[in-house]
Amino acid sequence: MYEHLVIKADPGQNPLRLDKFITHHSNYSRNKIQDAIDSESVKVNGKPAKSSYKIKPGDTVNLYVAKPPKEPTEILPEDIPLNIMYEDDSVLIINKDADMVVHPGYNNWNGTLVNALVHHFDNLPTSKNGAIRPGLVHRIDKGTTGLLVIAKTEYAMQYLARQFADHSTERTYYAVVWGEPKEDKGTIDANLGRSFKDRRVTDVFPEGDHGRTAVTHYEVLKRLRYVSLVKCNLETGRTHQIRAHMKYLGHPLFGDSTYGGDKALRGNMFSKYKQFVDNCFQIMPRQALHAKTLGFEHPQTKEWMQFDSELPDDMVELWEKWEHYVQFN
């Protein structure tokens, strides 16, 4: 039920807060570490300690963290409406809403796209990676809207999976980012991998010493001084790829709390502007990212299929609000 980690401070250890010390020596998230400290599941030299405790040379830290529950062995069907843009005997095209998680996982065991799929469709194929994720060939983050292709047969899943693996699909995303990128077009070619400090976060490793190859092509469509509308084409499909790459470029996605986009990164914070930005965050309480187009070769007909979706209402309202602000200020 629990994972037990023992960390011994080196003889040359400089004074460091307990929470930061554990973060540097483990892959646990900051929230999980703080929860363990608050529940007295962290002991220093045999005694419970607070986050502010300063680690000294030779200190021994014992950390007990609850193991996450195992992924369920079956998916419960749930009658959740789906926005289906296209369907035939081989594939489905879903336009996903912002508040929907794609597949069950830690803290999200139900209410997902997969729960809806098994309710609406029988005998969807399952990938061979050990996880039960009927129909899924790829995924997008909870806070991201837009297009997903779902396989309805084993053959379609294998055929589509190969296209995603060899990067022959076409995927275009629209994002609202902070600031104005220097170049109108560019390519970000920098490895991505799990952060050593927080496993929920994707870090960039530009030297290529960690992570996996990740390539994002971007084009600035519109500039509004404080924010820009950017089109991103994925050559690879890594976790949080656009979000991590745009932060690396110096332009995090608007509203992206994981990568620093949930605070004003451009403009002087006088009261009128601050109120305006706060109102924008109310409109867009998520990362401003939409999977707009999706193209692939159909598993049966071998014809090229191309789909396009409109920007969601919250992104349209956000952009119009910024256009009005820039015009009159």
Side-chain angles (χ1 to χ4, degrees), residues 86 88 91 93 294-299 301 303-307:
Y86 174 83
D88 61 28
V91 299
I93 303 298
L294 175 63
F296 57 89
E297 185 179 280
H298 192 278
T301 67
E303 295 179 358
W304 184 257
M305 307 288 287
Q306 187 77 26
F307 299 92

Side-chain angles (χ1 to χ4, degrees), residues 9-26:
D10 294 331
Q13 174 70 49
N14 292 322
L16 185 66
R17 283 174 55 101
L18 174 61
D19 50 359
K20 292 185 177 181
F21 177 78
I22 297 174
T23 297
H24 291 168
H25 290 82
S26 75

Side-chain angles (χ1 to χ4, degrees), residues 6-9 21 43-46 55-56 58-62:
V6 180
I7 313 170
K8 190 172 180 65
F21 177 78
K43 295 182 179 181
V44 179
N45 303 325
I55 293 292
K56 302 184 295 294
D59 278 349
T60 298
V61 177
N62 282 267

Side-chain angles (χ1 to χ4, degrees), residues 249-304:
L249 195 66
H251 301 281
L253 271 59
F254 187 92
D256 192 343
S257 59
T258 302
Y259 295 93
D262 59 341
K263 53 184 176 294
L265 300 179
R266 295 294 187 276
N268 297 317
M269 292 304 291
F270 56 87
S271 58
K272 181 180 177 182
Y273 176 74
K274 183 178 184 303
Q275 183 61 54
F276 167 78
V277 173
D278 287 343
N279 289 339
C280 287
F281 285 138
Q282 292 295 318
I283 295 170
M284 179 64 61
R286 63 178 182 93
Q287 66 266 14
L289 183 62
H290 177 68
K292 193 172 193 305
T293 72
L294 175 63
F296 57 89
E297 185 179 280
H298 192 278
Q300 290 295 338
T301 67
K302 306 302 186 284
E303 295 179 358
W304 184 257

Side-chain angles (χ1 to χ4, degrees), residues 86-154:
Y86 174 83
E87 180 182 1
D88 61 28
D89 291 339
S90 298
V91 299
L92 290 167
I93 303 298
I94 303 290
N95 193 12
K96 189 185 81 68
D97 295 331
D99 58 353
M100 178 177 279
V101 176
V102 171
H103 59 76
Y106 184 54
N107 284 339
N108 291 289
W109 298 116
N110 48 45
T112 72
L113 173 62
V114 164
N115 293 106
L117 288 172
V118 297
H119 172 84
H120 293 287
F121 302 95
D122 295 326
N123 303 317
L124 290 175
T126 298
S127 61
K128 307 302 182 184
N129 63 359
I132 302 177
R133 296 174 183 175
L136 289 192
V137 182
H138 64 127
R139 68 179 184 85
I140 56 180
D141 300 326
K142 175 184 178 182
T144 301
T145 55
L147 299 178
L148 283 163
V149 58
I150 306 298
K152 294 179 69 176
T153 68
E154 290 285 354

Side-chain angles (χ1 to χ4, degrees), residues 23 27-34 197-200:
T23 297
N27 288 324
Y28 295 121
S29 69
R30 285 168 289 184
N31 286 342
K32 181 165 283 192
I33 291 169
Q34 190 58 55
K197 296 182 179 180
D198 187 342
R199 292 179 61 80
R200 298 170 302 175

Side-chain angles (χ1 to χ4, degrees), residues 42-268:
V42 176
K43 295 182 179 181
V44 179
N45 303 325
K47 297 180 179 181
K50 295 182 179 180
S51 298
S52 58
Y53 175 86
K54 295 295 181 64
I55 293 292
K56 302 184 295 294
D59 278 349
T60 298
V61 177
N62 282 267
L63 171 67
Y64 299 86
V65 176
K67 290 183 179 180
K70 293 182 180 180
E71 190 164 322
T73 57
E74 64 175 325
I75 304 297
L76 298 178
E78 297 181 52
D79 188 5
I80 302 170
L82 292 173
N83 184 359
I84 298 174
M85 294 189 63
Y86 174 83
E87 180 182 1
D88 61 28
D89 291 339
S90 298
V91 299
L92 290 167
I93 303 298
I94 303 290
N95 193 12
K96 189 185 81 68
D97 295 331
D99 58 353
M100 178 177 279
V101 176
V102 171
H103 59 76
Y106 184 54
N107 284 339
N108 291 289
W109 298 116
N110 48 45
T112 72
L113 173 62
V114 164
N115 293 106
L117 288 172
V118 297
H119 172 84
H120 293 287
F121 302 95
D122 295 326
N123 303 317
L124 290 175
T126 298
S127 61
K128 307 302 182 184
N129 63 359
I132 302 177
R133 296 174 183 175
L136 289 192
V137 182
H138 64 127
R139 68 179 184 85
I140 56 180
D141 300 326
K142 175 184 178 182
T144 301
T145 55
L147 299 178
L148 283 163
V149 58
I150 306 298
K152 294 179 69 176
T153 68
E154 290 285 354
Y155 177 78
M157 174 165 280
Q158 294 176 18
Y159 197 90
L160 291 169
R162 178 184 58 77
Q163 292 183 65
F164 278 90
D166 63 21
H167 315 310
S168 60
T169 60
E170 179 188 307
R171 286 175 289 169
T172 300
Y173 291 71
Y174 277 27
V176 178
V177 305
W178 279 106
E180 295 183 301
K182 182 178 179 181
E183 306 294 337
D184 289 334
K185 295 182 179 181
T187 296
I188 307 168
D189 186 349
N191 279 22
L192 295 177
R194 286 186 184 273
S195 168
F196 295 133
K197 296 182 179 180
D198 187 342
R199 292 179 61 80
R200 298 170 302 175
V201 175
T202 295
D203 272 349
V204 177
F205 300 95
E207 303 301 322
D209 49 343
H210 296 287
R212 302 168 69 187
T213 300
V215 181
T216 303
H217 306 286
Y218 70 90
E219 178 183 354
V220 181
L221 300 178
K222 297 179 181 178
R223 299 171 180 269
L224 287 179
R225 197 159 70 229
Y226 304 98
V227 295
S228 298
L229 182 64
V230 176
K231 178 174 71 173
C232 295
N233 285 92
L234 294 183
E235 189 171 314
T236 55
R238 310 303 181 202
T239 300
H240 295 183
Q241 178 169 320
I242 293 173
R243 299 164 67 186
H245 267 171
M246 293 310 297
K247 178 186 178 182
Y248 172 69
L249 195 66
H251 301 281
L253 271 59
F254 187 92
D256 192 343
S257 59
T258 302
Y259 295 93
D262 59 341
K263 53 184 176 294
L265 300 179
R266 295 294 187 276
N268 297 317

